Amino acid sequence: MAPPSRCGWCDNARPAAMSHFLQQLSLSAPHFTLVLAGFLLAASGRWPKAVSDALAMFVFSVAVPALLFRLMSDPSRLPPVQWRLLAAFFGGCLVTFALGRLAGAVLFRLDGVQQSVFALGGVFANNVLLVVAAGAVFLGTMYPLLLDALGLGKISVGPPYFDTVFVPLMVPLVVMMGIGPLARWKHAEVPDLWRRLRWAFGAAIVAAVANEWIEGRISWLGGVGLFMAYWVLTSILTDLWERLRPAGGAQASHGASLWQRWQLIPRGMKGMMLAHLGVGVFIFGVTMVKTYEVERDADMSVDESAEIAGYVFTFKGVREVQGPNYDAIEGLVILSKNGRELAQLRPQKRMYRVHSNPMTEADIRSRITGDIYVSLGQASQGDAWVVRLYYKPFVTWIWGGCVLMALGGFVAMSDRRYRTLARKDEVLGAARPAAA
């Protein structure tokens, strides 16, 4: 006899979700099957070009419109429309397209057609990233439902899956991020790239292992994340060294100075390096937080202490305080390390006067090496309280990486070469009618 379900709504939702998925699959499968068949026929190379062109015209002029008309002619077969989802998706595409056209017009001086192509490229890139992330979430959501529908058992997919699945998706991208700037278009050779990047690769491995050894815990997933962060950094340094070193080798003393060679690097390349550095900083912050964060719930009386990550938290009691629109119980926790007081943290448990639900207000000590959170839980026996202690190393680096990525994008967009090329195209375009 199967055990009773903990969630009756889940049991009802799973068959409905599977039915909805199969309905979507049956509606979209003919279109994608037709497109896939055309791609395979064209890729085989056994068809004359005239036949391929005729088939393409037939597919896009007759077959696909006929399938779409058949689909839309029977609304009863269509799933219910999620207006909020449609508005979010197409609204995001519209905003991206508008920003792309604005950037093309203001920053790059593109004409109307070029602005549209530039904006559509942004929409396409945005949708690719969205599809990759949505595909990972879709797999984690539908796989348990599929197993349940086939009677193969029940499994639960939670944060461990979603924390793990993005690693194999991101590793190839980050590896190529280090190789791409050093690869010559259509002339890149693997032996040459390995010769130039082998020291960067080795240094990234050594730095990742040393980092984990210093932290005192070796983790396979953490090691992969740290390697990716250091790989981005060492590949940037390799690229920068090749651009800054003297043309005659390290022993050359003549020629342009280091500052002059730095000025010769295009601003677009500098922006790319800065954005890639932001990616590395972001990966480093995420890896350190997910691998080495510490959380603890401590039942503490007055003057009692607890320790996490080398920090000592001493509870000094609570008091009642009043805010502009709430009443609160405020705790006092002394943070110290190696016998030296670092901060006084004052977490609160607030009761807002407009409603009776208590709200917890944590106190945070933020530093570049990590943040410490202290929140007040429930009252315990006597003068004791449950105090929640959190240590999140290098969490601010996540936001710093995002700032560097955005700053790198702006630096790259400010490169005058793009505006010069746009003006040249405008002059050539105006000269063609006159020459004709």
Side-chain angles (χ1 to χ4, degrees):
M1 180 176 178
S5 173
R6 296 182 180 179
C7 177
W9 178 86
C10 297
D11 292 339
N12 295 330
R14 286 174 179 173
M18 180 56 65
S19 175
H20 184 72
F21 167 70
L22 294 176
Q23 184 183 21
Q24 295 278 12
L25 183 63
S26 65
L27 293 175
S28 57
H31 303 82
F32 289 102
T33 302
L34 189 61
V35 173
L36 178 61
F39 170 77
L40 294 176
L41 290 175
S44 65
R46 299 180 179 179
W47 295 82
K49 187 176 184 302
V51 176
S52 299
D53 292 342
L55 286 175
M57 182 174 296
F58 169 77
V59 168
F60 291 104
S61 300
V62 179
V64 171
L67 287 173
L68 291 175
F69 178 78
R70 176 179 175 274
L71 175 64
M72 300 177 65
S73 63
D74 188 3
S76 62
R77 300 178 65 245
L78 297 176
V81 178
Q82 300 290 338
W83 295 109
R84 293 181 180 179
L85 182 62
L86 290 177
F89 175 75
F90 289 106
C93 291
L94 180 61
V95 170
T96 304
F97 183 82
L99 292 176
R101 282 191 62 94
L102 180 63
V106 176
L107 298 177
F108 305 128
R109 308 295 183 183
L110 303 178
D111 59 24
V113 175
Q114 293 172 332
Q115 291 173 23
S116 298
V117 173
F118 182 79
L120 287 174
V123 173
F124 177 75
N126 183 62
N127 289 343
V128 167
L129 295 175
L130 178 64
V131 167
V132 171
V137 176
F138 175 81
L139 179 62
T141 303
M142 296 305 301
Y143 184 67
L145 299 179
L146 183 61
L147 289 183
D148 190 14
L150 298 176
L152 299 179
K154 297 178 181 292
I155 64 172
S156 176
V157 176
Y161 161 79
F162 295 106
D163 292 341
T164 305
V165 74
F166 282 97
V167 173
L169 293 176
M170 292 300 296
V171 166
L173 176 64
V174 175
V175 170
M176 293 305 300
M177 187 179 297
I179 297 175
L182 293 168
R184 294 178 298 169
W185 179 249
K186 293 185 178 181
H187 296 283
E189 297 180 355
V190 174
D192 177 62
L193 292 174
W194 170 247
R195 179 184 58 81
R196 298 161 67 190
L197 287 169
R198 57 185 177 180
W199 296 111
F201 182 82
I205 293 179
V206 171
V209 174
N211 194 322
E212 291 200 303
W213 180 76
I214 292 173
E215 292 294 334
R217 179 157 62 94
I218 303 296
S219 166
W220 178 85
L221 192 60
V224 173
L226 291 173
F227 166 75
M228 290 194 297
Y230 287 119
W231 163 252
V232 172
L233 174 62
T234 54
S235 61
I236 291 173
L237 293 177
T238 301
D239 186 19
L240 189 60
W241 165 247
E242 292 189 355
R243 295 175 183 275
L244 293 180
R245 66 181 177 181
Q251 304 299 325
S253 58
H254 60 279
S257 65
L258 182 65
W259 174 248
Q260 290 173 331
R261 291 193 293 272
W262 166 257
Q263 289 182 315
L264 291 176
I265 299 177
R267 191 174 297 180
M269 185 62 64
K270 294 176 183 175
M272 183 198 67
M273 291 181 179
L274 186 59
H276 286 188
L277 178 62
V279 174
V281 170
F282 176 85
I283 295 174
F284 180 82
V286 171
T287 303
M288 292 297 291
V289 171
K290 301 301 293 185
T291 307
Y292 300 108
E293 66 179 345
V294 181
E295 300 180 5
R296 178 181 175 185
D297 288 353
D299 194 351
M300 304 174 67
S301 301
V302 176
D303 291 329
E304 189 174 350
S305 298
E307 181 178 352
I308 62 170
Y311 293 93
V312 178
F313 301 80
T314 304
F315 182 63
K316 290 296 185 179
V318 297
R319 64 170 183 169
E320 295 183 356
V321 297
Q322 289 187 343
N325 60 343
Y326 62 86
D327 299 318
I329 297 176
E330 182 181 86
L332 175 61
V333 178
I334 305 299
L335 176 68
S336 60
K337 187 174 185 178
N338 298 327
R340 184 171 64 91
E341 181 178 323
L342 300 178
Q344 295 185 359
L345 302 175
R346 302 178 184 274
Q348 294 181 348
K349 184 169 278 299
R350 296 178 178 179
M351 184 76 71
Y352 287 89
R353 301 186 184 104
V354 295
H355 57 78
S356 58
N357 294 328
M359 304 290 290
T360 299
E361 186 74 15
D363 198 1
I364 304 173
R365 179 182 183 266
S366 182
R367 294 293 185 272
I368 192 172
T369 57
D371 289 5
I372 293 174
Y373 301 74
V374 176
S375 63
L376 204 59
Q378 300 296 326
S380 186
Q381 297 179 354
D383 59 354
W385 283 75
V386 175
V387 181
R388 296 184 174 92
L389 311 173
Y390 304 86
Y391 170 65
K392 297 183 179 292
F394 296 96
V395 67
T396 53
W397 287 47
I398 299 175
W399 307 109
C402 296
V403 172
L404 288 176
M405 285 186 273
L407 184 60
F410 285 117
V411 172
M413 287 191 298
S414 66
D415 195 331
R416 292 187 303 173
R417 295 181 304 160
Y418 300 122
R419 295 191 292 273
T420 303
L421 289 174
R423 295 193 194 100
K424 183 178 179 180
D425 290 340
E426 291 179 359
V427 172
L428 292 176
R432 289 192 189 101

